Structures are given as C-alpha cells and as structure tokens.
Amino acid sequence: MSYYGGTIELESAEWNDKKAVEYELAQAAWGMRLNVWYDLFHWNKNIVCADKRAAINKLASMPDWNGVLYHMDVPDTAAIKRLVAAERKAEERYREVCAATDIHNRKSKTITCKACGSRVELARFKGSVCPVCKKSLRSESARERVDRAKKAHEAAVERLAAARAENARKHGELAWMLSYIERC
C-alpha cells in the first residue's frame, strides 16, 4: 500500500469556528478528490507561525494529519527589507570567507594534518577535514574567520526571523496550513 501527502491552505476568516474550518477543508479535499477525514486532524491553535514557509517547516517536523495557524499576506516593511539585504550580505560574506580559506587553493599537492600528522593528497578528496582523524585541515586563524562569518550570518537570520514574526503578529491575518497523508 502506498501513501502520498501534501498540504492544504485554508484561508478561513473564521478560524476560531472549527466547523467553518472543517467545512472549508471538506470543500478543498473534495476539489482535490481526496479522502481526507477531517476528524483525524489535530488542530493546533497554539502554534502560530510567522508565514507560510514557517508553517510548512513546522508541519514537516510533526506527525501527519496536523493543522497549524500561520499569518498570511503580510507585506515586508522597510526595516525588514533592510534586514533582508543585511542577511544576504552576511551570507555572501560567509561564502567568500569559506572559499578564500579553502585548503584546495594551495599550490602544494599535499597537506599535513596538524592533529594526527598524516600527509593528505589534495587531489584525492573534497572537503577540508582530514580523512584519517576527521579534524579540520584549515589553520586556526582560518577556522576563526569562518566561525565569525558563520555566527554573523546566523545572527542576521535570527534578526530577520524575529522581525518578520513581529510584523506578522501585528499585521497578518490568520489561516490554516494542514498536512495530510492520502492512502491509495
């Protein structure tokens, strides 16, 4: 027996009214010719995601037949657009630092691991860790540069997510995002 699944978006203005949401779900399922039993759904009113992408990610981490609320149609403010630009710049900087400190940029054909002392031929493998001891082959200063760039990018991503969540909480309308499994 095989299964396939997906998500259904319900843009119900009366999200507090479970019957209205279930009716809309039944209409959507009928339109998609699905045998969705809406009494099997776990309606998670306490989980409110900032946007559609966050709702899909949340549903991917949950068991099947779940519904979560998300804020829809929230326009980005000028502050969020600045944070998006800062996040892209931080990501670009992180990629540049990783490329600049890559061990394959060396002129020599071999490199010695400082942790275990093995000599590694660069043409035989990809990556920047020793195949013997799994320690980084980058220098200490290069690892610090990569770590700083990575932390700066992660901080920019967190600031952007927090700003989008706050904007959605203030200005977004709520809708249901449902995950389902269809038996065929």
Side-chain angles (χ1 to χ4, degrees):
M1 199 172 280
S2 63
Y3 294 89
Y4 63 94
T7 58
I8 301 174
E9 297 174 59
L10 300 180
E11 298 180 3
S12 176
E14 303 174 32
W15 62 271
N16 280 318
D17 185 4
K18 186 177 175 187
K19 289 290 183 191
V21 173
E22 288 177 349
Y23 175 77
E24 192 173 336
L25 173 60
Q27 294 299 316
W30 183 82
M32 296 171 67
R33 303 203 186 289
L34 299 174
N35 295 322
V36 175
W37 303 100
Y38 51 83
D39 57 337
L40 295 176
F41 275 98
H42 301 282
W43 302 96
N44 300 303
K45 289 186 177 182
N46 296 332
I47 301 173
V48 182
C49 301
D51 56 8
K52 180 178 173 180
R53 181 183 44 211
I56 291 172
N57 290 341
K58 182 66 178 175
L59 286 172
S61 68
M62 299 172 75
D64 301 314
W65 302 96
N66 277 285
V68 298
L69 288 167
Y70 75 100
H71 294 278
M72 62 178 196
D73 301 331
V74 182
D76 285 346
T77 62
I80 291 177
K81 289 178 183 176
R82 283 193 301 272
L83 288 173
V84 167
E87 186 269 333
R88 285 186 186 144
K89 186 175 179 182
E91 180 182 13
E92 184 179 314
R93 173 75 178 137
Y94 174 58
R95 289 180 190 214
E96 287 174 0
V97 169
C98 285
T101 60
D102 189 12
I103 61 169
H104 294 283
N105 293 340
R106 296 171 174 257
K107 292 181 181 177
S108 64
K109 293 182 180 182
T110 62
I111 187 170
T112 303
C113 177
K114 290 182 174 49
C116 67
S118 11
R119 293 194 50 84
V120 179
E121 194 173 338
L122 292 175
R124 291 191 177 257
F125 77 100
K126 296 181 180 178
S128 62
V129 295
C130 176
V132 177
C133 67
K134 306 297 184 210
K135 302 281 183 180
S136 178
L137 292 172
R138 289 184 169 130
S139 67
E140 183 68 32
S141 61
R143 285 194 304 260
E144 289 173 0
R145 285 179 60 201
V146 169
D147 288 342
R148 279 194 308 269
K150 183 177 180 180
K151 287 179 184 175
H153 178 248
E154 289 172 353
V157 168
E158 287 175 10
R159 284 192 301 271
L160 177 61
R164 280 193 168 147
E166 182 64 23
N167 186 37
R169 189 184 63 76
K170 288 181 180 176
H171 305 291
E173 293 183 32
L174 290 174
W176 283 100
M177 175 67 67
L178 305 168
S179 67
Y180 66 91
I181 286 287
E182 176 69 13
R183 195 178 291 198
C184 56

